[in-house]
Amino acid sequence: MAKRPLEVLQRSIDSHIIIRLKDGTEYTGLLAETDNYMNMILSDAKEMHNGELVARFGEIFIRGNNILYIKPDNAIL
Amino acid sequence: MAKRPLEVLQRSIDSHIIIRLKDGTEYTGLLAETDNYMNMILSDAKEMHNGELVARFGEIFIRGNNILYIKPDNAIL
Amino acid sequence: MAKRPLEVLQRSIDSHIIIRLKDGTEYTGLLAETDNYMNMILSDAKEMHNGELVARFGEIFIRGNNILYIKPDNAIL
Amino acid sequence: MAKRPLEVLQRSIDSHIIIRLKDGTEYTGLLAETDNYMNMILSDAKEMHNGELVARFGEIFIRGNNILYIKPDNAIL
Amino acid sequence: MAKRPLEVLQRSIDSHIIIRLKDGTEYTGLLAETDNYMNMILSDAKEMHNGELVARFGEIFIRGNNILYIKPDNAIL
Amino acid sequence: MAKRPLEVLQRSIDSHIIIRLKDGTEYTGLLAETDNYMNMILSDAKEMHNGELVARFGEIFIRGNNILYIKPDNAIL
Amino acid sequence: MAKRPLEVLQRSIDSHIIIRLKDGTEYTGLLAETDNYMNMILSDAKEMHNGELVARFGEIFIRGNNILYIKPDNAIL
């Protein structure tokens, strides 16, 4: 039972999520892959600073140890 | 016996809690899931800065290594 | 023998302690639970900044990796 | 299944990628080697600060723990 | 042989030592307990900032990962 | 296959390399020894700040966790 | 072969070395003990800031994780 938050994250694959990093940067996109380190691959991703669009990425690999939180974009986590 | 604080945290599932991160941000909500890394899923969550409401989340996954403390909102921990 | 400081900490359960975090914040309260990561649950706890009372908590779970030191409040460690 | 982001990274060998470090520096080049720590060897690499070319390297070994994200330069990740 | 600095530290139990933390704070006292994480319990301890006495503690538990160095106060290490 | 960047580093022994640390300091010299933590011994080494020579060392042992990147000085990595 | 830098360090016991910490402080002395964490005991040690003598220690135990580099003082590493 002690691994359940990560299992919930696994079930979020193919959902739209928002990732906030420790430095405040946010990435939104479709969660394509994730693992137990919270490494994530987002597709059709955007980078946002203070709510403003900074960049678009077809795909981006985000290293898990930089992540502060993850939330569903407009869907179930 | 050396694992008991985490067991207490497991028993807080379905309680309302307040999480403070190292940077001072606070999240309140219903603890839906947690694990031994203190990763947490809150539902019906709010983000607070200096006591002011910043954002609301239906669900949010918070990475455990950013957490400073956890306390019950108005319930037993 | 190499685990003895943590054993001393275990024996402090039900004593009043003061915890100082790396950022200077202090928490005082009754040590209800602790583990080998120095995660701690305090009951009847207070948060102090520069000696001033900031908040009171019926119970609080403090993540061990933020801790600088622990001392007895007015009792044996 | 929990290791899949790193497997995707392995399949990016011989693709052009952009690596952003935590301090904002970016490296672009051909991914020659990578491992599970996200250590990377880029060939025909460039270092960029704020979009400006700072240096060119025939080969560079980047330590994985400094990495924020990795994205394809103009190819599949 | 690769564990000998920690063994030397174990043999310092019951000696007076000075501990300097990464933030420059110093603690002096009698080393009552230590372990392989360099967690330490000092008794009859003083906290010093820039050579000035800040506080006295009957006992204090210092988390090892904050420590910069340890030296004998006026005794063998 | 997942260990190959470190194997490439091992094969750089006896080559001239440039090491950049996270704080921007650079060391150049002949790579005499390295291991899987990226600890390195350079011989005939120089320390450079902003391209200026700061110090020369017959031999220097650099702790791997401070390293940002490694590149060949004028040779294959 | 992947452990050789640490073996070289072991062979430096009884040599005079200079240790630089991440914060720029330097310690010189005779290396009395070391281990695989790079914890070190120096005897007849001096603490230097910007080349100026700050303090002398009969013996000092330096925690390995603060170390940036180690070099021979006027001897082989």
Side-chain angles (χ1 to χ4, degrees):
Chain A
M1 185 167 11
K3 291 191 178 175
R4 282 172 52 183
L6 294 169
E7 290 169 12
V8 172
L9 209 55
Q10 281 290 335
R11 291 201 300 270
S12 301
I13 286 179
D14 294 327
S15 301
H16 284 86
I17 62 169
I18 298 174
I19 296 171
R20 191 186 310 190
L21 303 188
K22 292 178 195 172
D23 69 0
T25 313
E26 291 192 343
Y27 296 90
T28 68
L30 192 77
L31 180 60
E33 303 279 0
T34 186
D35 64 18
N36 288 340
Y37 304 103
M38 291 187 219
N39 297 320
M40 300 206 174
I41 296 179
L42 293 186
S43 57
D44 294 320
K46 295 177 198 169
E47 180 177 332
M48 315 289 287
H49 286 276
N50 300 318
E52 301 220 353
L53 178 64
V54 175
R56 290 178 179 275
F57 313 107
E59 262 191 323
I60 186 166
F61 181 116
I62 296 173
R63 204 171 193 265
N65 68 330
N66 303 300
I67 292 175
L68 183 65
Y69 68 65
I70 303 141
K71 56 184 175 162
D73 194 357
N74 50 16
I76 53 164
L77 182 63
Chain B
M1 186 167 10
K3 291 192 177 175
R4 282 171 52 183
L6 293 169
E7 290 169 11
V8 172
L9 210 54
Q10 282 290 335
R11 291 202 299 271
S12 301
I13 287 180
D14 294 328
S15 300
H16 284 86
I17 62 168
I18 299 174
I19 296 171
R20 192 187 308 192
L21 304 189
K22 292 178 195 173
D23 69 359
T25 313
E26 291 191 344
Y27 295 90
T28 69
L30 193 76
L31 180 60
E33 303 279 0
T34 186
D35 64 18
N36 288 340
Y37 305 104
M38 292 188 218
N39 297 319
M40 299 206 174
I41 296 179
L42 294 185
S43 57
D44 294 321
K46 295 177 198 169
E47 180 178 331
M48 315 289 288
H49 286 276
N50 300 319
E52 300 220 354
L53 177 65
V54 174
R56 290 178 178 274
F57 312 108
E59 261 191 323
I60 187 167
F61 181 116
I62 297 173
R63 204 171 193 264
N65 67 330
N66 302 299
I67 292 175
L68 183 64
Y69 69 64
I70 302 141
K71 57 183 176 162
D73 194 357
N74 50 16
I76 53 163
L77 182 63
Chain C
M1 185 166 12
K3 291 191 178 175
R4 282 172 52 183
L6 294 169
E7 290 169 12
V8 172
L9 210 55
Q10 282 290 334
R11 291 201 299 271
S12 301
I13 287 180
D14 294 328
S15 300
H16 284 86
I17 62 168
I18 298 174
I19 296 171
R20 193 187 308 192
L21 303 189
K22 292 178 194 171
D23 69 359
T25 313
E26 291 190 345
Y27 296 90
T28 69
L30 193 76
L31 179 60
E33 303 279 0
T34 186
D35 64 17
N36 287 341
Y37 304 104
M38 292 188 218
N39 296 320
M40 300 205 174
I41 296 179
L42 292 185
S43 58
D44 293 321
K46 295 177 198 169
E47 180 178 331
M48 315 289 288
H49 286 276
N50 300 319
E52 301 220 353
L53 177 66
V54 175
R56 290 178 179 274
F57 312 108
E59 260 191 323
I60 187 167
F61 181 117
I62 296 173
R63 204 171 193 264
N65 68 330
N66 302 299
I67 292 176
L68 182 64
Y69 69 64
I70 303 141
K71 56 183 177 165
D73 193 356
N74 49 17
I76 53 164
L77 181 64
Chain D
M1 184 166 11
K3 291 191 178 174
R4 282 173 51 183
L6 293 169
E7 290 169 10
V8 172
L9 209 55
Q10 281 290 336
R11 291 201 300 270
S12 300
I13 287 180
D14 294 326
S15 301
H16 284 86
I17 63 169
I18 298 173
I19 296 171
R20 191 186 310 190
L21 303 189
K22 291 178 195 172
D23 69 0
T25 313
E26 291 191 344
Y27 296 89
T28 69
L30 192 77
L31 180 60
E33 303 279 0
T34 187
D35 64 17
N36 287 341
Y37 304 103
M38 291 188 218
N39 297 320
M40 300 207 172
I41 295 179
L42 294 185
S43 56
D44 294 320
K46 296 177 198 169
E47 181 177 330
M48 315 288 287
H49 286 276
N50 300 318
E52 301 220 352
L53 178 64
V54 174
R56 290 177 179 275
F57 313 107
E59 261 190 322
I60 187 167
F61 181 115
I62 296 173
R63 203 172 194 264
N65 68 329
N66 302 299
I67 291 175
L68 183 64
Y69 68 65
I70 302 141
K71 57 184 175 161
D73 193 357
N74 50 15
I76 53 163
L77 182 63
Chain E
M1 186 165 10
K3 291 191 178 174
R4 282 173 52 184
L6 293 169
E7 291 169 10
V8 172
L9 210 55
Q10 282 291 333
R11 292 201 299 270
S12 301
I13 288 181
D14 295 327
S15 301
H16 284 87
I17 62 168
I18 298 174
I19 297 171
R20 193 186 309 192
L21 303 189
K22 292 178 195 171
D23 69 0
T25 312
E26 292 190 345
Y27 296 90
T28 68
L30 192 78
L31 180 60
E33 303 278 0
T34 186
D35 65 17
N36 288 340
Y37 303 104
M38 292 190 217
N39 297 320
M40 299 206 174
I41 296 179
L42 293 186
S43 57
D44 293 320
K46 295 177 198 168
E47 181 178 330
M48 314 289 287
H49 286 277
N50 300 318
E52 301 219 353
L53 178 66
V54 175
R56 290 178 179 273
F57 312 108
E59 260 190 324
I60 187 166
F61 181 117
I62 296 173
R63 204 172 194 265
N65 68 328
N66 302 299
I67 292 175
L68 183 64
Y69 69 63
I70 302 141
K71 57 183 177 164
D73 193 355
N74 49 17
I76 54 164
L77 182 63
Chain F
M1 185 166 9
K3 291 191 178 175
R4 280 173 51 184
L6 293 170
E7 291 169 10
V8 173
L9 210 55
Q10 281 290 335
R11 291 201 300 270
S12 301
I13 287 181
D14 294 327
S15 301
H16 284 86
I17 62 168
I18 298 173
I19 296 171
R20 193 188 309 191
L21 304 189
K22 291 178 195 172
D23 68 0
T25 313
E26 290 191 345
Y27 296 89
T28 69
L30 192 77
L31 179 61
E33 303 279 0
T34 187
D35 64 17
N36 288 341
Y37 303 104
M38 292 189 218
N39 297 320
M40 301 207 172
I41 295 178
L42 294 185
S43 56
D44 293 321
K46 295 177 198 167
E47 181 177 329
M48 315 288 288
H49 286 277
N50 300 318
E52 301 219 352
L53 178 65
V54 174
R56 290 178 179 274
F57 312 107
E59 260 191 323
I60 187 167
F61 180 115
I62 297 173
R63 203 171 195 265
N65 68 329
N66 303 298
I67 292 175
L68 183 64
Y69 68 64
I70 303 141
K71 58 184 175 160
D73 193 358
N74 49 16
I76 53 165
L77 182 63
Chain G
M1 186 166 9
K3 291 191 178 175
R4 280 173 52 183
L6 293 169
E7 291 169 10
V8 172
L9 210 54
Q10 282 291 334
R11 292 200 299 270
S12 301
I13 287 180
D14 295 327
S15 301
H16 284 87
I17 62 168
I18 298 173
I19 296 171
R20 193 187 308 191
L21 304 189
K22 292 178 195 171
D23 68 0
T25 312
E26 291 190 344
Y27 296 90
T28 68
L30 192 77
L31 180 60
E33 303 279 1
T34 186
D35 64 18
N36 288 340
Y37 303 104
M38 293 190 217
N39 297 320
M40 300 207 173
I41 296 179
L42 293 185
S43 56
D44 294 320
K46 295 177 198 169
E47 181 177 330
M48 315 288 288
H49 285 278
N50 300 318
E52 301 219 352
L53 178 65
V54 174
R56 290 178 179 273
F57 312 108
E59 261 191 323
I60 187 167
F61 180 116
I62 296 173
R63 203 170 194 265
N65 69 329
N66 303 298
I67 291 175
L68 183 64
Y69 69 63
I70 302 141
K71 57 184 176 161
D73 193 356
N74 49 17
I76 53 165
L77 182 62

